[in-house]
Amino acid sequence: MKEKATSFDIAHRAGVSQSTVSRALNNSPLVSKETRDRIVEIARELNYQVDKNASNLRKQKSNTLALLLFEDPTTDDSLINPFFLSMLGSITRASASQGYDLLVSFQNMQSDWHAEYEDSNKADGIILLGYGDYSAYRSKLDQLEEQGTHFVRWGAQDKAHPGVNIGCDNYQGGFDVTNHLIGLGYTSFAFIGDNSEDAPEFRARYQGFADALDKQGLSGESQRQINAHSTEPSGYAAMKAMLNDATLPRAVVCASDLIAVGVYDALREANLRVPEDVAVVGYDNIPISGYTTPALTTVRQNTTKAGELLVDTLIKAINKEVVEDYLMPAELIVRRSCGAQ
Amino acid sequence: MKEKATSFDIAHRAGVSQSTVSRALNNSPLVSKETRDRIVEIARELNYQVDKNASNLRKQKSNTLALLLFEDPTTDDSLINPFFLSMLGSITRASASQGYDLLVSFQNMQSDWHAEYEDSNKADGIILLGYGDYSAYRSKLDQLEEQGTHFVRWGAQDKAHPGVNIGCDNYQGGFDVTNHLIGLGYTSFAFIGDNSEDAPEFRARYQGFADALDKQGLSGESQRQINAHSTEPSGYAAMKAMLNDATLPRAVVCASDLIAVGVYDALREANLRVPEDVAVVGYDNIPISGYTTPALTTVRQNTTKAGELLVDTLIKAINKEVVEDYLMPAELIVRRSCGAQ
DNA sequence: CTGAAAGCGCTTACAG
DNA sequence: CTGAAAGCGCTTACAG
C-alpha cells in the first residue's frame, strides 16, 4: 500500500504552489489552462483524491445527507419493513443524483440518540424515516431543532411539530380504499391496525376509514377496530382474535400490506376465501402485494417521488431556502382481494 | 440557529485547557473524575458534538464503511433488485452494530468511478455489491488494489481476482436444486439465465445445473439454456421464446427469482400450470417468492449472515488482520412450484 | 494568474 | 493529572 498522495506532492511535481493545485482541481477560473492540465494529469498519475475530511473541515460542510431509520421496537430484528427498504432505495438514488453522499443508520427508539448528534456533524442534514412511538420521538425532534440541525421527516403532518414533513395523505388513502369497498356493496367492516397517538399514520388511515363509513350512514361499522402493528404475525393474531370473538366482517381494511398478509394466513386457516367470504385490502403496495393470491388491493405511496421530495427539500433547507410541508396524494391500487374483478 | 460549540468553548467555561476537554470527552484515563464530570456536563449543556471532520482528519481514519452498489445497466432505474435491497439492509445493520457509519452509493458501470475514489477518502474501506459486467468491473478492482484501498466484494470466487471475496456457493446451489428436481423424476430440463463470463454468479449456477444432469446421464438436457438477466420482463421474454421454439421442458431452472416470476407470467399466458405442466425453480429467496402461486422453490442466500460477514471481514482488513475468502453454503428452499408437495 | 499564509477543530506527543 | 504546541490536508482571503 502506497502512501496517499497530497496536494503538496502534486505541487512539488508540477513545480507550482499547493494553492494552485487546489485551485486547479476545483476548477477555479483563476488557473491557466496549461497549468491546470498539467496538474490534472499528475493528479491522475498519482491516484490523487482530495481528502474529504480536510476539505469538509475547511469548507464547513460535508455534502453528505444522513438517513436515520427508526425501527419499531416490536419489529423482528432480522426484518426491515419492505416499504422502508424501498424508501431507502429511492433516497439513495435521489441523493446520488444530487451529488450528495448518503450516510445510513438505524436508530433504536430507546437509545439516547447519540448517533444523531454524531451524524449531525458528518452530514449537512438529516432525513428521518420510520413508524414507531411518536411520543418518544417528539422530544428528540425538539432537540434537533434546538441544535439548529436541518432535517426533514417522512410521516404524518402535524402542525405542532417542529421541522418539515413530507408525507402521503394517509387520511385520504384510508378514505378512498374504504369508499371503494362501499361502492362494491359491502356493508360490514373492520379495521386492523393501531389507532393511537403513537402511530399517527395508522391513525389517519383509520380516520379516513371511519369517515368514509360515516358518510354512508354506516357509522356503527367504524367501531370495529383491532390494534396491530405492521407485521405479518401481528395481522395474523388480530384476525384470529376477530374470528373468535366477533361476527365476521365482510370487508377488512388493514393498516399495512404486511398486516393484510397475516390476515390472509388467518383466513386461510379458517377455510375462508378472499374475497368471496371476506374482502381484504392493505396499504403500502409493497412488492409482495402484487403476488399474493388473490393479489392484494392496496394504497400506493409513491416511494420514488417521496425519496426525491425528501432529498430535494432537505437540500433546499440546507441552502437556507424556504421549505414547507408537502402532502403527496395516495393512490388506490385495485386488485382481486376486494372482489372488484 | 446557534453557533456550533467547539472544544474551546467548553474549555473556556470549564476553566481548563482545550486538550483536557478533548481528553475528557475521549475517556482518556489521564483526566481526573471531577474534571471529566464537569466537562461532560458542560458539553451536554452546549449540545456539543465532536466535529467528525476535524477528528477524522487528525486521526486519519473515519470509522466509516462505504457500500457501493453496482447496478446492471439494463435494470430499470426505478427498481432495485430485492436481493440487493435485502443485503443493503443487513449490511446497514451489521455496520451499525460494529460502530461504523455506512456510506451508500450507487455506481453505474459506465461511469469513471469517480465516486469510488472519493469514497475511498471518506471511508476506511469499501464493500462492493452487484451483478453486472464482470469484465468491465475487473480493471476497476485492480485500480482499487493499486490504491491500497481496503475492500471486500460480494460475489463469485475467483482466484485470479484481487481482494477478498465473500460469496454464496452458486455452483452448489444450482447443483442442489437441479438434483432435487431429478429426484422428483423430471427428465427434461431448461436453464434460464445468462451463461457468460460477464455474469459469473449465473454461470456458476448453470454449471451446477449442468453437472447435476451429467451425473445422472442426462447430459443432453444441459444444452437447453437461454440467456436472461435478473428481471421479470427478461424472464418472461426468455420463456416466451422457449414456448415458441422448442419442445416444452418439464422443469425450468431459473438463475434468479425475478426471472422465475417472469417465467410464471409467460406460462400463465400460455395456459400452462405450475408445477403440473412445468415445474419452475428460482434463486435468491426474495420475499415475493414465498407469496407467489404456487410458492416458488428456490435457493436461499443468507443475507443476514452475508452482511455480517462482509462487514466483519472488511473491518478486519482495515485493522490489518489477515482475511480470506469465504464461501457460504447455499440452502435449498422447497415449496410447491417444483411439484414436491 | 500565482504564491505565502491563515485557519477549519480536533488529537496527541512533549514537557512539566 | 494538565497545558502549550504541532499538525492532519485542505480552501480561500490577501497581496502581488
Side-chain angles (χ1 to χ4, degrees), chain B residues 180-192:
Chain B
H180 180 253
L181 290 169
I182 295 172
L184 293 172
Y186 296 104
T187 52
S188 86
F189 293 86
F191 184 92
I192 298 187

Side-chain angles (χ1 to χ4, degrees), chain B residues 81 83 131 170 173-174 177-178 190-196 199-207 209 225-231 234-235 238 252-261 263 280-286 296-299 301:
Chain B
N81 185 319
F83 172 73
Y131 293 124
N170 291 296
V177 74
T178 308
F191 184 92
I192 298 187
D194 279 353
N195 174 28
S196 81
E201 284 93 351
F202 281 14
R203 180 171 225 186
R205 293 171 195 175
Y206 171 75
Q207 298 291 1
F209 164 82
Q225 179 272 339
I226 296 193
N227 280 346
H229 49 259
S230 195
T231 65
S234 184
V252 175
V253 176
C254 303
S256 81
D257 288 346
L258 246 23
I259 291 176
V261 169
V263 166
V280 177
V281 300
Y283 209 107
D284 283 344
N285 192 37
I286 63 176
L296 186 65
T297 291
T298 188
V299 179
Q301 314 196 59

